[in-house]
Structures are given as structure tokens and as C-alpha cells.
Amino acid sequence: MTVEAEPLSRLRQRTSEKWGEYPDDVLPLFVAEMDYPLAAPIAQALHAAIDRSDTGYIGPDDRVKRAFADYAQTRWDWTVDPARTRTTTDVSVVIVEALRSLIEPGDRVVITPPVYPPFFELIPEAGGVVEEVPLLEGGADGAGWALDLAGLERAFAGGAKAFLLCNPHNPLGLVHPRAELEAVAALAAHHGVSVVSDEVHAPLTHSDATFTPFLSVSEEARRIGIAAHSASKAWNLAGLKCALFVTASAEQAERIHALPVEVEVRTSLFGRIANEAAYRSGQEWLDGALHAIEANRMLLSVLLTDRLPHVRYREPHASYLAWLDLRELGWGDRPAKRILEEARVALVAGEDFGAQGAGFVRLNLACSPEVLTEAIDRIAALAGR
Ligand SMILES: Cc1ncc(COP(=O)(O)O)c(C=O)c1O
């Protein structure tokens, strides 16, 4: 099916962060929300819940867990036992509660910047201390960015207790190859390090890449790992609040089942209904959305080559976020500020993702081709001044 961004006049009626943060003269390509209309099966499920006044407390219904397990099997050939999953409010809560149960206060937790900015805050919230092992630019084969396996090994050997993996990786749209995830699992297991794998972008893997669930790579991964999943990113349901802890060993399942019942009760009922509908009946819509995103990913390459040739960009292979290197424009460490003030385009400052992001910006591709073109035109006009 064809999925297209809604017109600006309609988008501006939304009250979410993307459309509520800036005045109408700003094109908002910052926060990771999509401009497409909600998938029809999700809208229908939510309307039906309202029609039956199903607005009470969340009950013990496990349909979303079974829907996720069926999705994982069909989509990724990954067998998930619904009994070894639990739900909670959102992916951030999965990360905090998983880490809190895996580490002692003051333990070091590794992240791989440039990476999703809240990681820098979720780790201290769980009592941990952030240890950075930046991604390597260039990668093993020179084709892009990659995990620094030697750096990870040093951090693990040096006493880090957990690794918060972003799989696929925001902001680079990096889909980690299976062999690298196997190596991570082996290294972490060898050094007694636990892995929390944030897989919220997984359903948004592009047609030219293959997502590998961390817990599918080895017995070691299953023994040491907890994965975080949600339909929130791929189906634009962040405001509805539901995510899953996923485990694949008796030890880790026991750990998440030992979490207080309150952690699960904080799942939103509408979030659970919407996530179930997404996993059960949302694939056709998601394929359409991915088609539009991949078209914009390529359009951005063309626009940059044509209008901003000094901007470096490697096309993402997952999600709808483009990581742009603006250093050659000479706009300093925080070009997003100037672009907002003078070109009236809102992007995320690269520095928010770690010091490695100075001079970079993150741009959201889940918009119409017209909005993307207008945004690049505005930035190019600024560059041409
Ligand atoms: C890597 C990553 N993890 C987690 C989240 C947030 O998920 P949630 O809204 O379910 O907490 C995002 C949102 O963009 C993300 O990119």
C-alpha cells in the first residue's frame, strides 16, 4: 500500500512534540516522529477500545506478548517465548529497569556514541556510570561506521558491568552484522558483562539490510542479554506508552519476572492495544512507510549532491534518521542552532549524541519529499549566503 505524509496544514493540528515545539515558519525535522497517518488497523483497534469504554486499568491479558512473538517469528525467524517477556511503559523504562536489575550502583555501563541522547541519562537513572566506547568511523571494511570490538573488549576487561547496545543504531541507521553481534556476546560473556539490546528501530530495517535480534545470535547472548522492543517507533505510537522486556534464558526471565508488578502495571492500556494491532496487522502499512522512507533516503542523497555537496551523508539502512556531517561548511560545533535560527529548519544537534557529534546534525526523513526538498533548499540558501 502507498503511505504518504499528511499535508502540513493537518500535521500542524497535531499536539505532539514534533508539531508543538516550534512556530509554523519552522520545518520540524528533529524528534523521531513520523508525518504519516496512523495505520488503519491500529486506528480501528483504538476506536474500538473507546467504543467499548475500555479505559480502565491494565489487566493480565497477554495478547501483545503473543503478537510480538508471532511477529518476531515471521519477520526475523526468531522464536520468542511470550512467557519470558513482560510489558512496561516505554523502551526507556525497559532500559532503566533492566539495568537496575543487572548492575550495582556505581557500576560502569558502556554505550557507543554517537548514540541516542537519553542513553546518557538512563544509565545514571539506573545507578550506573556511563563509559563511552565510540563507534569507529570507516568501519572494518571502510563502508561506514561500526562497533569498536577491540574498544569494547578493553572496556569489558576493565570492569564495565553492562553494555547498552543500540541495535539498529540511532542516529546512524546502522544495522549491526550478525558476526559482530556474536563477537559482542562472546566478549561480554567472557568478561561477565550483561547486555541490554535496544531494538526499537528493528521493524524499520530497510529492504537492503537484515536485522539480527541480539538474543538470536548465541547461547551466550541469551544467557547475558535482555532486549527492549516496542511498536512505538515503527508505527509512530510513542505517545501511547507500551514496550516489552524480552528474554530468552531462564536466568534473565527470572530477573524480569522479579521486577515489581508496578513496572508492568504502568503499561498504558491503549499502548498495549495499539502495539498488538501493529504486530498483528500493521505490516502492510509499515512496508508502505518504509517504501516512502527509502525513497526519501535516496532523494536526500540527490539533493545534497546537487545543493550541498560539502555535506557528507551515508545513507541509513534502518529507520528514518539521517546523520549529516556539516563540518566542511565551517558552521562550528552546533550547526543545528544556526540552521534553526536562520533557515528555520529544526534538526537535532549532533553534539546531543556525544562529543563525536560536534559539527553534525540529525535529520528526520519521515516527511513528504516536498518538505525534505524545502528543508534542504533552505539550508543550501544559507550555505550560499
Ligand atoms: C534507540 C532508541 N531507544 C528508545 C527510544 C524511545 O523509545 P520510547 O519512546 O519507547 O521510550 C528511541 C526514540 O527515538 C530510540 O531512538
Side-chain angles (χ1 to χ4, degrees):
M1 69 180 287
T2 305
V3 172
E4 287 178 351
E6 298 199 284
L8 281 173
S9 56
R10 212 172 136 73
L11 289 165
R12 289 195 174 113
Q13 292 171 22
R14 295 188 184 178
T15 59
S16 62
E17 184 180 353
K18 190 174 187 197
W19 295 97
E21 183 80 11
Y22 295 105
D24 283 0
D25 66 326
V26 170
L27 288 178
L29 301 183
F30 68 115
V31 68
E33 294 178 23
M34 301 196 273
D35 293 352
Y36 311 122
L38 202 55
I42 299 175
Q44 282 156 13
L46 291 168
H47 283 301
I50 290 175
D51 289 346
R52 60 176 185 267
S53 300
D54 195 0
T55 53
Y57 289 113
I58 195 135
D61 182 314
D62 71 348
R63 273 180 293 187
V64 73
K65 298 174 183 174
R66 287 187 278 120
F68 174 74
D70 289 347
Y71 185 84
Q73 191 71 60
T74 312
R75 212 53 203 154
W76 303 313
D77 198 21
W78 174 32
T79 305
V80 171
D81 178 354
R84 289 181 164 178
T85 68
R86 280 188 93 182
T87 64
T88 190
T89 321
D90 57 26
V91 168
S92 305
V93 173
V94 174
I95 291 170
V96 171
E97 295 304 334
L99 284 176
R100 215 198 297 276
S101 74
L102 289 163
I103 64 169
E104 298 294 331
D107 280 348
R108 277 177 281 131
V109 179
V110 174
I111 55 171
T112 55
V115 74
Y116 179 58
F119 279 12
F120 291 90
E121 287 166 22
L122 299 175
I123 290 169
E125 188 180 338
V129 174
V130 170
E131 177 163 358
E132 297 185 29
V133 177
L135 292 177
L136 288 178
E137 196 175 354
D141 55 2
W145 299 68
L147 293 171
D148 176 2
L149 291 175
L152 288 173
E153 182 167 23
R154 276 194 299 278
F156 296 169
K161 287 289 183 269
F163 175 29
L164 177 51
L165 170 70
C166 198
N167 176 40
H169 189 100
N170 169 9
L172 294 153
L174 181 62
V175 183
H176 303 296
R178 174 176 283 272
E180 284 179 23
L181 296 175
E182 282 170 9
V184 167
L187 290 172
H190 179 71
H191 292 287
V193 172
S194 305
V195 177
V196 176
S197 184
D198 175 346
E199 304 187 345
V200 71
H201 291 276
L204 287 162
T205 301
H206 295 186
S207 53
D208 56 1
T210 304
F211 164 68
T212 306
F214 180 72
L215 299 182
S216 75
V217 301
S218 63
E219 242 359 274
E220 288 159 320
R222 288 185 274 282
R223 185 164 55 74
I224 61 170
I226 298 178
H229 275 269
S230 175
S232 62
K233 205 80 330 208
W235 286 272
N236 209 39
L237 307 173
L240 293 178
K241 297 293 173 192
C242 172
L244 289 134
F245 296 86
V246 183
T247 64
S249 63
E251 184 185 338
Q252 299 302 345
E254 213 171 287
R255 183 183 304 282
I256 61 162
H257 284 298
L259 293 171
V261 68
E262 290 304 328
V263 172
E264 184 140 12
V265 167
R266 289 179 195 134
T267 313
S268 147
L269 182 55
F270 274 17
R272 196 175 73 184
I273 289 165
N275 269 247
E276 182 197 347
Y279 289 130
R280 282 268 175 245
S281 320
Q283 193 57 42
E284 203 189 334
W285 179 93
L286 183 58
D287 288 341
L290 276 168
H291 188 77
I293 291 163
E294 290 185 41
N296 268 2
R297 156 191 144 179
M298 286 180 271
L299 172 62
L300 181 59
S301 277
V302 173
L303 291 170
L304 291 175
T305 305
D306 186 40
R307 296 164 208 200
L308 281 166
H310 295 300
V311 172
R312 287 175 53 211
Y313 160 58
R314 286 200 190 89
E315 291 186 12
H317 295 285
S319 207
Y320 50 85
L321 307 165
W323 184 239
L324 305 180
D325 180 351
L326 271 55
R327 288 174 295 185
E328 277 187 42
L329 292 178
W331 291 353
D333 286 347
R334 231 175 153 76
K337 186 168 184 294
R338 178 155 184 218
I339 292 170
L340 174 62
E341 286 168 1
E342 299 182 40
R344 308 303 280 158
V345 177
L347 306 172
V348 186
E351 275 184 318
D352 293 356
F353 298 80
Q356 303 75 11
F360 287 74
V361 293
R362 193 192 73 179
L363 177 149
N364 182 335
L365 292 166
C367 57
S368 70
E370 293 77 19
V371 165
L372 180 61
T373 306
E374 167 74 14
I376 298 304
D377 276 345
R378 290 189 191 187
I379 300 169
L382 189 58
R385 267 188 218 162

